[in-house]
Amino acid sequence: MRIEQDLKLGFKDVMIRPKRSTLKSRSQVSLEREFKFLHGAKAWSGVPIMAANMDTVGTFEMAKALAKNKMFTAVHKHYSIDEWAAFLQETDASLLEYIAVSTGTGKQDFKKLKTLVSAHPQLRFICIDVANGYSEHFVEFVKNTRKQFPDQVIIAGNVVTGEMVEELLLAGADIVKVGIGPGSVCTTRVKTGVGYPQLSAIIECADAAHGLGGQIISDGGCAIPGDIAKAFGAGADFVMIGGMLAGHDESGGEKIERDGKLYKLFYGMSSSTAMEKHVGGVAEYRASEGKTVEVPYRGEVQVTVQDILGGIRSTCTYVGASRLKELTKRTTFIRVAEQENRVYTPS
Ligand code: 5GP
């Protein structure tokens, strides 16, 4: 047994220090970024905020709404080949820049991925997603996917440490997804004791990825726009959000009415709700590692998107970054023992 004594930080432990700036208005800030990839063929440009590949977040409807803002959606893996075909038929080419196909690492998953992407090679992004990205089997899966699809951009995760980021990039991933345990409906830290505070995970993993010419996605733990800004400030190339996009018209599922108020169901992809829906129950050898919650219904996602983008633009003006790309360089975090004033925040 060993104890690492370095303190690891989460979003709640820091704030971004304001800096002198020549920017007059938020409208002068560009949130678009352009990336070239380590393996994947073509460059990408857009606003690097992503909807999580959860079936109560990363739906086709969400993809259509976010693409209007040049934002990205990792579409959840439970759509059938036929549903994909119908969706691709009705949508225009520009949307393809902003969606990834998600997959697990089982034999059936690979078969489905091969069928889907071979039939629709215009699907440029593949998101290989497992809760624990530290297994050899996962690395092998990334290698095989790279062999099968030399031109596609491969996202792989989740991990939280630099050495595993490097291993995945060398195995063929372009972008590594970072985050174990910070998610709003995640119970991994409760059930297993495993995790890594997200801000430190981003700082360490971004350093490892950028050293090799790869990118990272900070995945999970953003509850407010300020957290997304902190994730970018820490060095994340992309930020993936789940809970912040749940509860909208585009989030999938039915509205639930209770005592005159409307809610929508939101659940972790390893929750018993998800496992019962998609694989007929929780297998005996495992525990569910996700929560099921009802979140207040929030209408169209565009209102939330504007709130998020406006917040990050404002962060950029506070530190004098005219482009999102400059935010990391212009960020100095301060360690804090307080966050916002919650006097008028209902508990
Ligand atoms: P949020 O933005 O809601 O804080 O976090 C979203 C992320 O939580 C997802 O992208 C995914 O990485 C993670 N997540 C989703 N469902 C589950 C789950 O059932 N268990 C765990 N451990 N993590 C989950």
Side-chain angles (χ1 to χ4, degrees), residues 122-331:
Q122 70 274 36
L123 289 166
R124 284 187 60 202
F125 290 83
I126 297 170
C127 176
I128 310 171
D129 187 34
V130 293
N132 171 6
Y134 283 79
S135 79
E136 261 177 43
H137 169 73
F138 178 61
V139 177
E140 281 308 306
F141 193 94
V142 172
K143 283 186 187 159
N144 290 337
T145 310
R146 172 51 66 207
K147 238 184 258 157
Q148 184 75 34
F149 302 109
D151 292 338
Q152 259 67 10
V153 177
I154 296 179
I155 300 167
N158 280 21
V159 298
V160 284
T161 49
E163 90 286 355
M164 208 57 206
V165 168
E166 287 168 357
E167 175 148 5
L168 291 171
L169 291 173
L170 295 174
D174 297 286
I175 311 173
V176 177
K177 203 146 70 75
V178 171
I180 293 189
S184 58
V185 282
C186 165
T187 56
T188 294
R189 293 177 185 176
V190 179
K191 291 284 168 81
T192 70
V194 176
Y196 212 98
Q198 188 66 5
L199 191 88
S200 290
I202 298 168
I203 294 169
E204 294 167 26
C205 292
D207 190 44
H210 297 161
L212 289 180
Q215 282 94 25
I216 65 154
I217 300 170
S218 167
D219 176 20
C222 290
I224 47 175
D227 293 338
I228 302 179
K230 289 174 187 175
F232 283 126
D237 302 287
F238 296 83
V239 179
M240 178 174 268
I241 50 180
M244 288 183 74
L245 297 176
H248 295 93
D249 289 331
E250 296 84 351
S251 313
E254 297 302 312
K255 281 181 233 162
I256 304 158
E257 191 175 347
R258 181 163 306 112
D259 303 329
K261 287 196 184 127
L262 290 171
Y263 300 87
K264 284 192 111 177
L265 208 60
F266 174 49
Y267 47 82
M269 294 314 290
S270 315
S271 64
S272 45
T273 310
M275 287 196 263
E276 267 148 35
K277 187 165 175 202
H278 300 297
V279 292
V282 184
E284 255 174 45
Y285 60 86
R286 62 181 290 177
S288 101
E289 284 179 27
K291 291 178 211 167
T292 300
V293 292
E294 285 177 4
V295 295
Y297 167 62
R298 294 196 272 166
E300 285 184 15
V301 78
Q302 186 60 29
V303 178
T304 301
V305 165
Q306 268 161 16
D307 193 48
I308 292 172
L309 300 185
I312 300 167
R313 275 203 190 91
S314 190
T315 312
C316 288
T317 57
Y318 270 113
V319 298
S322 61
R323 294 180 300 157
L324 183 59
K325 185 175 194 271
E326 296 162 18
L327 183 54
T328 308
K329 246 191 333 211
R330 310 235 5 138
T331 293

